Amino acid sequence: SGVVREGRGSVSRKPSEGTSRFEKSRPRFEQGAAGMSKLPHVCILTSQYFDWGIYGGFGSMSRKLAESLVCAGHRVSVIVPGRQGQQPTETIGGVEIRSFSPRNVMDACRLIRASSADIFHSQDPTVLTYLAQRIHPRRAHLVTSRDPRELSDWWVEFLYATPMRRLLTPLNYFTESGFLVRQAVRRADAVYCPAHFLKEKVKRLYGLKQLPTLLPNLIDVPSALPQKSARPTITFVARWDKRKRPWLFLELAAQFPDYRFVAVGKGSASAETGFDAELRQRFRDVSNLEMPGLINRFREPERMHQLLSDTWIFVSTAVREGLPLTFLEAAAYGCPIISRVDPDQFATRFGKQVHDDDYAAAIRSLLAEAPLEKGRAAYHYVRETYETSRALTAHQDQYRRFAA
């Protein structure tokens, strides 16, 4: 049986309708909005989908893309490893979401085989990419490489992982970076990246003959720069996982008692729960520090809007990243970026890159240099490159190229 839940811009269906339409044969293209040509059915293959305890950038971008395509008139389905509490078939925001047990490859093959999609678009390549190519060789297969990991990146993941995640590292490597996955990327009809700095890395990692194309993330950008709060607000938004090093941000609040610090997020897995609780207990008496937990950008967008509107400086303490979705979301609200990592020079162009983990010095330096001007430059860059309607059009242009 299927489950139907409303989302922003949702299209409500009966539970049985979502299942039967996925299973039955149908015309090759879906009719779009009135007056528009027929649009291809897109199946998003992803390791995460935002919900069911999954709140990272991969899952968020997969959901944003899927729901935006539905609003544009596409039929969209998703195939994703199931999480605790997730039903085998659900419809959220008009998107048909099919899940399988992560340990059951045959179940994944069954879902892919049943799909009538014209285009399979992998949101970061996984073994699902390989399976879809083998099962449907005549369909279009597109790959967006969001966070390509070389051996040095996997080592960082291992160092900061919980004991359970360390045990799973070999399996994760096989399903995300193994031989079959690399082969699938080389065989894809097109390969994309959401950031310029990733192009050379992806080409090298997968042995491509040419550089991938930039295919931007979809970011909601206010029509004008929001008015910042009177009291400087410094914000952190990330999973409270050890690789993100949230304690470095929490320690800053006591050093700047006149400023408001907000640390959004929570531990992403049951193994991180104790770490999350330990940090909240340790910093609970810091009067200028707020720890609101997770803000679900899909269910409560106004809370995130208000926070980023108030934010003077956005801080990332992660030891490794691709191009974080949070960088783009903060920049869209005119927030300069302070970060150790510097993807596409977001920190050096629109804030401060941190050296030797001296985040306090970076905050003092940026506040002394008119941070809102750097935030304004970040706003204009994201608006011109990643704004939702522009980025959605870029995706649709690619789908039109390969739908036939």
Side-chain angles (χ1 to χ4, degrees), residues 202-223:
V202 170
K203 183 184 179 207
R204 179 177 67 251
L205 181 62
Y206 296 110
L208 303 181
K209 295 181 180 179
Q210 58 187 24
L211 290 175
T213 302
L214 180 73
L215 192 60
N217 292 323
L218 282 67
I219 302 297
D220 292 334
V221 181
S223 58

Side-chain angles (χ1 to χ4, degrees), residues 278-322:
E278 176 187 333
L279 290 177
R280 294 182 192 279
Q281 175 68 20
R282 176 180 167 190
F283 293 96
R284 64 177 181 174
D285 295 327
V286 181
S287 60
N288 63 324
L289 173 63
E290 301 171 26
M291 297 179 284
L294 172 73
I295 297 180
N296 189 317
R297 55 174 57 85
F298 291 95
R299 297 182 184 176
E300 43 188 356
E302 288 305 316
R303 284 187 68 194
M304 187 64 76
H305 166 81
Q306 187 58 59
L307 175 60
L308 294 178
S309 295
D310 289 342
T311 297
W312 285 45
I313 296 174
F314 183 89
V315 176
S316 168
T317 53
V319 72
R320 193 196 69 78
E321 291 283 12

Side-chain angles (χ1 to χ4, degrees), residues 259-390:
Y259 301 153
R260 175 191 178 207
F261 282 73
V262 184
V264 175
K266 67 177 184 178
S268 63
S270 58
E272 299 282 7
T273 302
F275 175 66
D276 182 299
E278 176 187 333
L279 290 177
R280 294 182 192 279
Q281 175 68 20
R282 176 180 167 190
F283 293 96
R284 64 177 181 174
D285 295 327
V286 181
S287 60
N288 63 324
L289 173 63
E290 301 171 26
M291 297 179 284
L294 172 73
I295 297 180
N296 189 317
R297 55 174 57 85
F298 291 95
R299 297 182 184 176
E300 43 188 356
E302 288 305 316
R303 284 187 68 194
M304 187 64 76
H305 166 81
Q306 187 58 59
L307 175 60
L308 294 178
S309 295
D310 289 342
T311 297
W312 285 45
I313 296 174
F314 183 89
V315 176
S316 168
T317 53
V319 72
R320 193 196 69 78
E321 291 283 12
L323 175 59
L325 194 61
T326 52
F327 278 30
L328 299 174
E329 291 174 330
Y333 281 77
C335 308
I337 308 295
I338 287 180
S339 172
R340 169 177 167 168
V341 298
D342 193 22
D344 271 1
Q345 298 181 304
F346 256 74
T348 52
R349 286 191 295 166
F350 308 128
K352 287 285 181 183
Q353 186 176 15
V354 174
H355 302 283
D356 300 323
D357 286 342
D358 194 348
Y359 288 88
I363 290 174
R364 293 188 185 97
S365 177
L366 186 57
L367 286 173
E369 298 175 8
L372 298 186
E373 288 305 311
K374 289 204 170 187
R376 184 182 301 276
Y379 167 83
H380 286 297
Y381 175 74
V382 171
R383 185 177 183 181
E384 293 168 4
T385 309
Y386 293 96
E387 187 272 327
T388 294
S389 63
R390 290 175 182 261

